Amino acid sequence: MIEFSHVYKTYPGPVHALRNVDLKINQGEFVFLTGPSGAGKSTLFKMMSAFDVCTSGQIAVAGYNLNDMKAKELPYFRRQIGMVFQDFKLLPEKTVAENVGLSLWVRNEKSSLIEKKVSEVLDQVNLSHRADHYPEMLSGGEQQRVAIARAIIHQPSLLIADEPTGNLDPKMSEEIMDLLEHVCLQGTTIFVATHDHSMVERRKKKTLEIRDGILSGDLK
Amino acid sequence: MKKSSLALKMTTFVVLTMCFLFLIGGSLVLKNVNHVLTSWGQDLQMTIYLDQAQTEEQRNQIIQKLSRYPDVESTRYVPQEKALEQFRVQMAEYAPDLLNDPELIQMIPSSLLVKFKSEVQGNEQLQIMKTIHQDLKNEKIVDEVSYGQEWVQKYTQINGFFSDLVIILGVSLSAAALFVISNVIQTSIRQRRAEIEVLELLGATASTIRRPFLVEGVKIGLLSIALALFLNWSVLQFILTQYAGTLALLKITDAIQFLDFKNILFFLAMGPLLGALASYICLRKINTGWAAAGRRV
């Protein structure tokens, strides 16, 4: 599902954000990525979601070779993955249902299909009663559940979550992690970056650690 | 919609309507100046004054020569007696004493009146008249060729001036319209940056992201040009009603018209096309990951 081979990323300076990263994550795995701020987590996410290219090495995600990918292939690659962020990235002028349906709207799906799928996925994240509300009317945990619903509505093969519980209290954080585990059980590969070591220890999942651009842990 | 965004759109709409107002107004003025001058110039004819010692054969040769010009509609011979009669009728009221001067009367020559086809106008008409003038001036029986040179030259000059003015106005106002629409689209892109970023994250293609901005540009262009057309039409109707007496006196009421159907269609297409072009210029760099990667448009 995800394969990094001898990946280096150097920014002008020079700043070595990633050093010789080798990584393999299989379909259906649940993986945590930990590490201090500035260690290279965000760079790794940017590489994985094709928002940046590596300086050297090879990256393959969801069947796409990201090194050789052309600009016009980018949207089609992104449709294979789902992304969840610490700041949720919900559109404030759209309702919960409209936000969740965006993933299908960009694929020009019929509105009847979008309505049906939105209803199903909002059920799954227990937010059916909030469908017509706007994000600002929701709590942080609810907003993150909306973001997850939007990320999984098209049943991606990979879900990347960058600090998904960073803005939430412990109870909400547990709810979100339960939800992500549930999504993983349906066959989606989950890759979660987090600072919360206690939660990582409790969940007992495959864990990687990045420090100064060097990745360690269960890399195979 | 945010208040600032609405205000910007309203300002853009007003400025753009003004641009189109002047552009369409310029075309309208050109078209009507052309109509008026043409209607005044329709009676224009060439007069070839003949020597008194002419023979019928010589005169017929000249008439035949003129008939070979495809743009000449007719040539009519006015003998001296007829010319005298006309002169008497015209001058009877203004200068009755003049008619008693036998020498002056004898100076009125016979002539050939040449009429041109109505489709030959402006510079073309001037050139044909000049050619005929050159062709006939050395003929033995031709005393003088007169065709209101000054009038025709002024007519073509005025017409040329307005044509050039409308072209310059058209190019500069179109450029201004492009700039104004680009400005509002760029602001719109900045305001919707978060939305574009999310759409990119979700896998929207370039056309999906561009579509709403293109539609916005087309809408602004279409509405502005439609309003500008309506305002120009209203101003013309006002002039036709308010100055009906003056226009009738000048015999140009029928010559003043609004744009024809083809011109209206042209302008109705031009507004949205300018809008789409301005939007496209702003949107070229969108959806190459610029928003999420922190790159700017």
Side-chain angles (χ1 to χ4, degrees):
Chain A
M1 174 51 56
I2 302 173
E3 199 163 348
F4 278 51
S5 178
H6 303 295
V7 172
Y8 286 82
K9 179 65 186 179
T10 307
Y11 291 108
V15 176
H16 301 289
L18 295 179
R19 300 165 196 250
N20 196 24
V21 171
D22 280 311
L23 168 67
K24 191 172 181 186
I25 296 171
N26 297 316
Q27 179 70 46
E29 276 192 292
F30 192 116
V31 181
F32 280 117
L33 174 69
T34 63
S37 296
K41 289 199 300 293
S42 294
T43 306
L44 198 70
F45 267 79
K46 278 186 185 172
M47 300 288 129
M48 217 173 263
S49 49
F51 279 113
D52 206 345
V53 286
C54 58
T55 310
S56 66
Q58 289 291 319
I59 303 174
V61 178
Y64 283 83
N65 183 341
L66 302 194
N67 297 67
D68 302 333
M69 194 162 62
K70 290 175 184 160
K72 64 179 179 184
E73 289 178 286
L74 202 58
Y76 301 97
F77 162 70
R78 296 223 175 103
R79 290 177 192 184
Q80 301 297 313
I81 62 175
M83 280 183 268
V84 176
F85 299 88
Q86 185 175 352
D87 59 356
F88 323 128
K89 295 202 189 295
L90 300 177
L91 300 181
E93 287 168 9
K94 293 194 185 291
T95 64
V96 164
E98 286 167 346
N99 266 289
V100 173
L102 272 179
S103 299
L104 298 177
W105 179 81
V106 299
R107 297 158 176 244
N108 298 317
E109 296 286 5
K110 284 182 185 169
S111 49
S112 58
L113 179 82
I114 296 176
E115 272 177 41
K116 184 175 167 277
K117 291 257 186 186
V118 166
S119 169
E120 283 172 10
V121 80
L122 284 180
D123 258 352
Q124 199 179 337
V125 298
N126 294 323
L127 281 176
S128 297
H129 60 295
R130 295 289 213 174
D132 297 326
H133 291 190
Y134 288 90
E136 63 180 9
M137 299 156 80
L138 274 55
S139 70
E142 285 175 321
Q143 288 190 47
Q144 195 58 293
R145 270 148 59 196
V146 174
I148 292 172
R150 187 182 64 188
I152 62 172
I153 191 171
H154 57 293
Q155 294 171 312
S157 49
L158 169 68
L159 193 149
I160 302 168
D162 189 7
E163 302 280 2
T165 58
N167 285 339
L168 307 179
D169 61 41
K171 187 172 172 286
M172 291 283 187
S173 298
E174 290 301 327
E175 277 183 25
I176 294 299
M177 293 317 297
D178 287 344
L179 182 58
L180 290 176
E181 276 195 34
H182 179 70
V183 173
C184 185
L185 286 175
Q186 293 170 335
T188 301
T189 308
I190 309 283
F191 194 86
V192 181
T194 181
H195 276 105
D196 191 345
H197 286 281
S198 60
M199 186 177 66
V200 171
E201 281 167 20
R202 276 198 306 279
R203 295 277 164 177
K204 303 210 181 306
K205 302 285 183 191
K206 178 172 174 173
T207 305
L208 308 173
E209 190 177 9
I210 190 163
R211 274 181 192 276
D212 298 326
I214 298 168
L215 194 66
S216 60
D218 189 2
L219 301 173
K220 298 290 176 190
Chain B
M1 193 185 289
K2 286 180 187 170
K3 270 187 185 172
S4 59
S5 170
L6 184 66
L8 178 76
K9 279 185 184 162
M10 285 310 293
T11 313
T12 305
F13 182 61
V14 171
V15 173
L16 213 55
T17 304
M18 294 301 287
C19 281
F20 289 142
L21 193 68
F22 284 112
L23 185 62
I24 296 168
S27 305
L28 203 54
V29 169
L30 174 69
K31 181 188 164 97
N32 282 302
V33 164
N34 211 344
H35 275 177
V36 168
L37 293 176
T38 304
S39 75
W40 282 345
Q42 257 170 5
D43 295 333
L44 202 65
Q45 57 189 8
M46 181 177 238
T47 309
I48 301 162
Y49 294 103
L50 302 173
D51 190 88
Q52 288 194 4
Q54 60 175 288
T55 64
E56 192 177 350
E57 193 188 345
Q58 285 172 318
R59 195 170 63 230
N60 285 338
Q61 274 178 357
I62 303 273
I63 292 172
Q64 266 192 343
K65 208 171 194 179
L66 287 166
S67 68
R68 283 198 286 271
Y69 285 94
D71 299 314
V72 169
E73 190 179 73
S74 64
T75 306
R76 185 164 64 90
Y77 173 58
V78 182
Q80 192 180 29
E81 303 77 46
K82 181 98 183 191
L84 271 169
E85 197 184 312
Q86 282 175 357
F87 184 72
R88 280 199 180 103
V89 171
Q90 283 168 358
M91 300 306 289
E93 279 183 31
Y94 303 102
D97 295 343
L98 198 69
L99 300 175
N100 298 325
D101 186 343
E103 277 185 28
L104 189 71
I105 296 286
Q106 283 306 310
M107 283 172 69
I108 295 175
S110 57
S111 59
L112 290 171
L113 290 181
V114 185
K115 272 205 156 193
F116 295 91
K117 288 178 179 166
S118 58
E119 59 266 27
V120 187
Q121 287 166 8
N123 205 32
E124 199 184 350
Q125 194 178 32
L126 179 66
Q127 292 309 321
I128 294 163
M129 286 173 161
K130 276 184 178 172
T131 311
I132 295 177
H133 185 199
Q134 286 297 320
D135 200 8
L136 298 183
K137 72 177 180 186
N138 295 328
E139 289 285 342
K140 239 181 162 182
I141 63 157
V142 172
D143 263 355
E144 194 186 332
V145 179
S146 163
Y147 54 90
Q149 289 93 326
E150 271 188 34
W151 155 249
V152 177
Q153 265 168 349
K154 272 185 187 161
Y155 162 66
T156 44
Q157 273 174 0
I158 292 171
N159 216 14
F161 168 74
F162 272 103
S163 297
D164 293 347
L165 189 70
V166 167
I167 290 169
I168 293 167
L169 205 67
V171 171
S172 30
L173 290 179
S174 299
L178 265 181
F179 175 76
V180 171
I181 300 174
S182 303
N183 203 29
V184 77
I185 297 295
Q186 278 198 345
T187 308
S188 187
I189 290 171
R190 276 195 291 274
Q191 282 173 347
R192 290 164 71 177
R193 197 178 172 85
E195 185 179 341
I196 294 170
E197 185 178 333
V198 169
L199 290 174
E200 282 187 335
L201 291 171
L202 298 175
T205 56
S207 59
T208 305
I209 292 176
R210 284 172 185 161
R211 203 178 303 136
F213 296 103
L214 280 172
V215 169
E216 194 177 337
V218 167
K219 261 199 294 194
I220 295 172
L222 181 63
L223 288 175
S224 308
I225 206 131
L227 182 62
L229 275 167
F230 175 73
L231 289 175
N232 269 296
W233 179 82
S234 304
V235 168
L236 189 70
Q237 294 312 307
F238 174 78
I239 291 170
L240 284 174
T241 318
Q242 204 69 15
Y243 300 99
T246 315
L247 296 176
L249 197 70
L250 294 169
K251 295 180 182 173
I252 55 171
T253 309
D254 292 339
I256 295 187
Q257 293 164 2
F258 192 59
L259 301 170
D260 58 27
F261 186 63
K262 268 188 195 170
N263 290 144
I264 294 173
L265 272 187
F266 168 78
F267 281 117
L268 280 177
M270 181 189 172
L273 277 176
L274 273 178
L277 179 66
S279 303
Y280 183 75
I281 291 168
C282 302
L283 293 167
R284 275 175 308 169
K285 291 178 186 170
I286 276 196
N287 197 239
T288 49
W290 65 271
R295 278 178 254 159
R296 289 190 174 274
V297 174

